[in-house]
Amino acid sequence: MLSSGLRISGRSLRPGSSRPICPRCYATASTSTDDEWQVIIGLEIHAQIRSNRKLFSRAPLSYGHAPNTHVEPLDTAIPGSLPVLDLEAIRLGIITALALNCRVNHRSTFDRKHYFYHDIPASYQITQHYNPLARDGSLQIFKGDNNAQRDLLVKIQQLQIEQAFVGDDRLVDLNRAGTGLMEIVTDPDMRSAEEAGAFVRKLQSLLRRVGSGDGDMEKGNLRVDANISVHRPGTPFGTRCEIKNLNSVRYLQQAIEFERKRHIAHYLSSDAPLPQETRTLNEITGETMPLRSKENAEDYRYMPDSNLPAMSYLDTLRAGLPELPWETVNRISSTYGVPKSDVETLLGLDEYTAVGIKYLDDVAQGDTKLGKRALNWIVHETLGQLNKANKTWTPETVPVELMRELVSAVESSKVTGTNAKVILKHVLDTPSAGRRGLPDLLAELGIKTADSFDLDAVCREAIEALPLVAADVRGGQTKAVGRLMGEVMRRSGGAADARKAREVILELLK
């Protein structure tokens, strides 16, 4: 079967058809706007559960170990071996469902999905078909999230727990056979590649924050199947095609955009229905290619798994939900009046425990004005210097009490911003310095504070040292006051508050 992007004599063939699609139709499809055509997108997310063992086998999860070394009898389907459910995986699944605003089923069951694959010795996968863990959830996307152009509520059809089989494409390696997965199925609510990308990004941050998964697409710990169709607004949805196993947000958006153009080109060149297919993305060319037709639903012969009893959900898990990432961003930005981008940077230091946010809260201690200044010193000054030095941040890099002392000193004009940066650099360059208090650091670096000298007296000395400049200022040349302020800063060792020094000088020269 030929790819829709393959050209023969300057024309493109539709998959499964000898009739070529006019190149002009592809050009028209590439420039069509959402006013003419609309893309309809639904996603199926397969997220690996962050557990240390397999879903129904006590064998540990294996990454990079010798093949078939982390295997128990159940993994090889030895007769008589029975599944032992990982209750931690179920707990993490329920917490994820609650975070997604799902209705958790109080009774949930497992089923067998029968099909052949070389890494499935039993020839069936244990999944949830009839009674999944949860249904009817939602995830809010906001305008600007990963370039989303509108606010959008993506509805979640269901969340189910199932086995994954992740092995070599040709050889049998059962090390990861039976890994626990959450399959999260959305409604077809997304209308652009950017909205689909925003949904996946937000889901990744949710999984990390509740601790149920790492969302690492590069390692294959989260994969996406995209269901795509197009139609003209006001008409029925077109034929849906499924793109399997997309392992990055970039590839997801690439596949959606290619399919949008392919579907539109088909409808512009033919009155025949678009073939319903399962397709894959060629990551080199950015084109999708057919895997198999889907004219009829596949019969997996689902049946309840008699070896696994029904599960009942306990409401006590709801109380253990942490503050979700977007809730944290909204709380911090509104409480301290700071940009959301700065809060997201701080949150990104550790999405699992939000240790950066806790650090900020500990520094501010409820003082909103101090918190606003502290966020700037943490994100822009501390992280900025660490990034330049290729160093990582921890809460011990600048202890909470020292950061609070430093920010408070700047806020009260006791220490100038310039001197505070000198102190911070010294602490970052000398780890042991962080264990000392601000007074010791000031003495060690020979830095004066604003309360250690008489500002009026220093300003009078500066005026007496530069009488001609003082006369210029008296004559109305206010720009010349900068030279007097420079003299004040020199005599005070850089400790004088520049704003206050200017006020004092002008008052004295009246």
Side-chain angles (χ1 to χ4, degrees):
M1 192 175 289
L2 293 169
S3 162
S4 60
L6 183 61
R7 294 193 176 276
I8 298 180
S9 301
R11 298 170 73 83
S12 299
L13 294 180
R14 292 194 310 278
S17 171
S18 59
R19 178 181 174 184
I21 297 176
C22 172
R24 183 170 59 83
C25 295
Y26 268 104
T28 303
S30 297
T31 57
S32 293
T33 67
D34 286 343
D35 294 334
E36 302 171 73
W37 295 91
Q38 189 176 62
V39 61
I40 310 299
I41 306 161
L43 302 178
E44 297 175 17
I45 315 291
H46 300 87
Q48 182 172 319
I49 299 173
R50 197 163 174 245
S51 178
N52 57 8
R53 53 158 281 194
K54 299 181 182 181
L55 188 57
F56 298 109
S57 160
R58 289 194 177 92
L61 294 181
S62 173
Y63 300 91
H65 294 88
N68 298 304
T69 54
H70 290 186
V71 178
E72 284 202 344
L74 181 79
D75 303 322
T76 59
I78 291 177
S81 58
L82 295 174
V84 179
L85 180 60
D86 178 13
L87 296 181
E88 174 63 8
I90 301 304
R91 185 187 71 83
L92 293 173
I94 292 174
I95 287 177
T96 304
L98 293 173
L100 288 169
N101 305 302
C102 289
R103 171 177 56 81
V104 178
N105 290 328
H106 282 265
R107 185 177 185 277
S108 183
T109 58
F110 287 100
D111 309 292
R112 296 180 181 181
K113 176 181 178 181
H114 293 83
Y115 63 98
F116 173 78
Y117 191 69
H118 68 279
D119 275 357
I120 309 180
S123 292
Y124 64 81
Q125 174 194 25
I126 301 178
T127 183
Q128 294 188 304
H129 180 66
Y130 297 110
N131 298 295
L133 199 65
R135 299 184 189 272
D136 304 329
S138 62
L139 186 61
Q140 179 74 54
I141 306 299
F142 295 101
K143 184 177 180 181
D145 289 350
N146 203 45
N147 298 318
Q149 298 300 307
R150 58 173 182 147
D151 291 343
L152 169 68
L153 186 69
V154 178
K155 293 183 285 297
I156 309 294
Q157 289 184 10
Q158 68 182 53
L159 183 151
Q160 66 191 49
I161 303 295
E162 63 185 22
Q163 290 174 305
F165 294 91
V166 187
D168 189 275
D169 290 337
R170 298 155 298 167
L171 304 175
V172 174
D173 180 6
L174 300 179
N175 275 350
R176 294 184 68 183
T179 299
L181 281 187
M182 291 177 285
E183 181 175 342
I184 301 166
V185 182
T186 78
D187 278 354
D189 291 334
M190 289 150 279
R191 297 293 180 266
S192 70
E194 290 75 19
E195 289 180 359
F199 176 85
V200 173
R201 291 287 191 207
K202 196 156 193 175
L203 180 63
Q204 286 176 309
S205 67
L206 182 149
L207 296 175
R208 291 165 183 155
R209 186 64 189 94
V210 302
S212 61
D214 61 21
D216 193 332
M217 301 184 78
E218 290 185 1
K219 294 180 180 177
N221 296 347
L222 188 144
R223 289 183 178 269
V224 182
D225 298 342
N227 292 285
I228 303 163
S229 67
V230 302
H231 75 135
R232 284 190 169 96
T235 65
F237 289 175
T239 301
R240 173 175 57 87
C241 290
E242 182 181 29
I243 317 303
K244 300 287 287 185
N245 288 325
L246 298 165
N247 62 357
S248 78
V249 171
R250 181 168 67 90
Y251 291 148
L252 168 66
Q253 295 178 328
Q254 206 172 48
I256 291 171
E257 187 57 22
F258 181 82
E259 281 295 289
R260 182 187 73 83
K261 295 175 182 177
R262 186 180 73 86
H263 287 215
I264 294 172
H266 172 88
Y267 293 127
L268 289 175
S269 63
S270 172
D271 295 328
L274 181 77
Q276 186 174 2
E277 296 173 316
T278 298
R279 300 174 69 88
T280 186
L281 176 72
N282 184 322
E283 297 172 357
I284 297 176
T285 65
E287 300 182 353
T288 67
M289 302 175 295
L291 285 175
R292 56 184 179 273
S293 65
K294 293 191 70 172
E295 295 179 1
N296 298 308
E298 296 180 85
D299 182 11
Y300 290 116
R301 297 181 293 117
Y302 288 102
M303 61 177 290
D305 193 307
S306 59
N307 291 326
L308 291 160
M311 299 179 295
S312 295
Y313 158 62
L314 298 177
D315 280 319
T316 52
L317 288 176
R318 191 181 299 275
L321 271 180
E323 185 179 55
L324 297 175
W326 47 94
E327 295 172 341
T328 300
V329 170
N330 290 335
R331 175 178 66 82
I332 296 295
S333 62
S334 61
T335 298
Y336 299 120
V338 294
K340 290 185 176 181
S341 57
D342 285 352
V343 185
E344 289 167 351
T345 298
L346 197 60
L347 186 62
L349 292 172
D350 187 343
E351 293 183 86
Y352 297 100
T353 62
V355 66
I357 299 297
K358 183 180 184 305
Y359 180 83
L360 172 64
D361 285 334
D362 290 344
V363 171
Q365 294 182 14
D367 186 329
T368 55
K369 189 175 182 181
L370 185 66
K372 181 175 182 178
R373 183 67 69 94
L375 182 66
N376 180 68
W377 277 90
I378 296 167
V379 171
H380 297 285
E381 300 299 336
T382 306
L383 296 183
Q385 291 195 35
L386 288 172
N387 287 337
K388 288 180 181 178
N390 198 27
K391 297 178 180 178
T392 57
W393 178 90
T394 70
E396 290 73 37
T397 302
V398 182
V400 167
E401 287 304 320
L402 177 57
M403 179 62 75
R404 181 175 171 81
E405 281 186 294
L406 188 62
V407 176
S408 297
V410 175
E411 186 67 20
S412 64
S413 299
K414 180 179 179 180
V415 174
T416 65
T418 300
N419 282 338
K421 292 178 183 179
V422 172
I423 296 168
L424 181 62
K425 187 175 188 308
H426 175 64
V427 172
L428 298 180
D429 291 343
T430 313
S432 61
R435 294 193 290 270
R436 296 192 283 279
L438 183 59
D440 291 339
L441 291 171
L442 291 169
E444 182 179 335
L445 296 172
I447 294 176
K448 295 180 180 180
T449 59
D451 56 4
S452 64
F453 59 92
D454 186 337
L455 182 60
D456 278 15
V458 173
C459 289
R460 290 179 188 276
E461 292 173 5
I463 292 172
E464 292 172 1
L466 300 171
L468 296 179
V469 177
D472 289 341
V473 175
R474 287 192 181 98
Q477 298 182 35
T478 55
K479 289 184 178 180
V481 75
R483 292 184 60 190
L484 292 172
M485 290 171 60
E487 181 66 14
V488 169
M489 298 305 288
R490 185 184 70 80
R491 290 174 177 268
S492 68
D497 180 277
R499 180 181 57 81
K500 289 184 178 180
R502 179 184 175 86
E503 292 174 357
V504 171
I505 290 171
L506 293 175
E507 184 65 27
L508 290 173
L509 292 177
K510 284 183 180 179

